Amino acid sequence: MKNIAVIGAGTMGNGIAHTFAQNDYNVQLIDISQDSLDKGMATITKNLDRMVAKEKISEDDKKRTLDNITTHTKTETGVKNADLVVEAATENLDLKLKIFKDLDSLCGENTILASNTSSISITQIAAATSRPEKVIGMHFMNPVPIMKLVEIIKGYSTSADTYNTVEELSKKLNKVPVEVNDYPGFVANRILMPMINEAIETLYNGVAGVQEIDTVMKLGMAHPMGPLQLADFIGLDVCLSILEVMHDGFKNPKYAPCPLLVNMVRAGKMGIKSGEGFYDYTESRKAETVSSQFTK
C-alpha cells in the first residue's frame, strides 16, 4: 500500500497528506478548489519549514515530502491508482455520502475507503457504497503531523482484513491506533464535546469569563489548552456539527449545543479560521478575549 489519495485540502486534509508524504507514501491531494489546494500546500510547506528550523527534519526531508504530493481538482484522476482513499471533507453527512458513492464507482475494487469523520456513522457512510466491508473510519487528531492518536472506527460490515490493514498502516505512520466501535462521536469527541459545550454554558450563564474558564481548566486540571481556546482551534462550526450529530444520534438533551455556540456560528464567529471566536485572532488583537456580546 503506497498510493494514498486524500479528499479535502483543509486543516485535516493537508495534515493527513503531510503525514503520509513525510513517511514516503505517494499522495494525491484532491480538492474541487485550486485555491484550497494552494493554501493546503502552503500550510504543509510552512509546517515543514518549522520542522527544519527545529532540526527535526533536514532540507532534503522537506523536499522529498513535498515531491511526494501531487494535487488534483478532479477526483477521478486523483483516485485512479489509490490503494487507500482518506476523505477529509466538511463534517456534513449528505456531502460525505455523495463523496463515498462517487469513490465507489471511481476506485478499484480493492481500494479501501476511509473517512476522517469525527462523529458521523461509518456504517451509514459505508451503506452508500457497494463495498461496506472496505469502508472504515480513520479519525486523525489535529495537528495531524504531531498528534499520535488515530481512532480506527469499524462500521457494522467492516472486515477484519480492512481493519488489520489500516491498523498496520497507522503504525507505519508512527501513530498509535485505537480500535473504536461505531457510535456517534466515537470516544474522543463523545467525551471532549460535552466538556467544551459545558464550558460554553458556563460562559453563557455568566459564571466566569473566557480567560477565567480557560485558566481554571489549564491550571486546575492540567489541560494544555483551555476548552474555549480549544473550541476556537477546532472550529466552532465543527464543534456545533459534532454536537448536533450526537444529539440526533442519542436523542439525549445533554448533547444539545449551547445557544451561545449556535449564535456565534450563525454570526460567522468560527474561531481561528474566521479570525474571531471566543478570542480575537486578528493581528492587532491576537488571542485577546472577545467581548461577551452573545452571553446572557
Side-chain angles (χ1 to χ4, degrees), residues 1 20 84 86 112-114 134-140 150-153 158-173 175 177:
M1 183 168 287
F20 275 106
L84 169 73
V86 182
I112 293 175
L113 307 180
K134 289 190 174 295
V135 178
I136 197 165
M138 288 185 79
H139 181 209
F140 291 86
V150 181
E151 282 187 308
I152 303 181
I153 304 100
T158 304
S159 71
D161 283 346
T162 297
Y163 176 83
N164 292 335
T165 299
V166 170
E167 181 183 49
E168 286 305 310
L169 178 64
S170 300
K171 291 176 181 177
K172 289 177 181 177
L173 296 175
K175 301 298 185 186

Side-chain angles (χ1 to χ4, degrees), residues 179-207:
E179 180 179 346
V180 177
N181 289 320
D182 190 19
Y183 290 93
F186 315 130
V187 172
N189 282 314
R190 183 168 179 176
I191 295 169
L192 174 63
M193 286 303 153
M195 183 193 75
I196 287 176
N197 199 44
E198 193 62 30
I200 299 171
E201 285 278 1
T202 303
L203 175 66
Y204 183 56
N205 291 323
V207 178

Side-chain angles (χ1 to χ4, degrees), residues 14-242:
N14 70 60
I16 293 167
H18 173 162
T19 300
F20 275 106
Q22 193 173 327
N23 285 277
D24 293 322
Y25 290 87
N26 299 316
V27 178
Q28 313 303 313
L29 181 58
I30 304 162
D31 200 293
I32 58 173
S33 165
Q34 184 61 53
D35 183 56
S36 294
L37 287 169
D38 293 341
K39 288 179 179 177
M41 290 304 299
T43 298
I44 293 170
T45 302
K46 180 180 177 181
N47 289 336
L48 288 168
D49 284 338
R50 187 179 293 117
M51 295 175 78
V52 171
K54 293 181 177 180
E55 299 184 346
K56 292 186 176 181
I57 63 171
S58 67
E59 281 287 350
D60 286 343
D61 293 330
K62 171 191 165 182
K63 182 179 184 304
R64 188 186 71 252
T65 299
L66 292 172
D67 287 346
N68 284 338
I69 304 173
T70 305
T71 61
H72 303 265
T73 55
K74 294 186 180 299
T75 303
E76 56 267 30
T77 58
V79 303
K80 186 177 180 181
N81 298 310
D83 300 309
L84 169 73
V85 181
V86 182
E87 170 272 317
T90 305
E91 194 73 351
N92 177 283
L93 175 60
D94 290 339
L95 175 60
K96 290 186 188 295
L97 293 178
K98 182 183 185 306
I99 288 172
F100 274 78
K101 184 178 180 180
D102 291 344
L103 290 174
D104 190 42
S105 65
L106 294 171
C107 295
E109 61 180 14
N110 294 320
T111 304
I112 293 175
L113 307 180
S115 177
N116 183 60
T117 178
S118 52
S119 60
I120 295 171
S121 168
I122 298 301
T123 301
Q124 190 171 6
I125 290 172
T129 76
S130 62
R131 62 180 87 192
E133 74 284 354
K134 289 190 174 295
V135 178
I136 197 165
M138 288 185 79
H139 181 209
F140 291 86
M141 302 295 123
N142 186 27
V144 181
I146 296 172
M147 299 292 280
K148 289 289 188 181
L149 176 66
V150 181
E151 282 187 308
I152 303 181
I153 304 100
K154 297 188 300 183
Y156 184 84
S157 301
T158 304
S159 71
D161 283 346
T162 297
Y163 176 83
N164 292 335
T165 299
V166 170
E167 181 183 49
E168 286 305 310
L169 178 64
S170 300
K171 291 176 181 177
K172 289 177 181 177
L173 296 175
N174 298 310
K175 301 298 185 186
V176 178
V178 176
E179 180 179 346
V180 177
N181 289 320
D182 190 19
Y183 290 93
F186 315 130
V187 172
N189 282 314
R190 183 168 179 176
I191 295 169
L192 174 63
M193 286 303 153
M195 183 193 75
I196 287 176
N197 199 44
E198 193 62 30
I200 299 171
E201 285 278 1
T202 303
L203 175 66
Y204 183 56
N205 291 323
V207 178
V210 172
Q211 289 185 331
E212 288 77 11
I213 291 167
D214 279 353
T215 298
V216 166
M217 296 306 291
K218 287 189 288 186
L219 300 185
M221 309 302 164
H223 290 192
M225 186 182 294
L228 299 177
Q229 186 182 7
L230 179 57
D232 277 354
F233 184 72
I234 294 168
L236 301 190
D237 54 332
V238 175
C239 293
L240 178 59
S241 294
I242 295 169

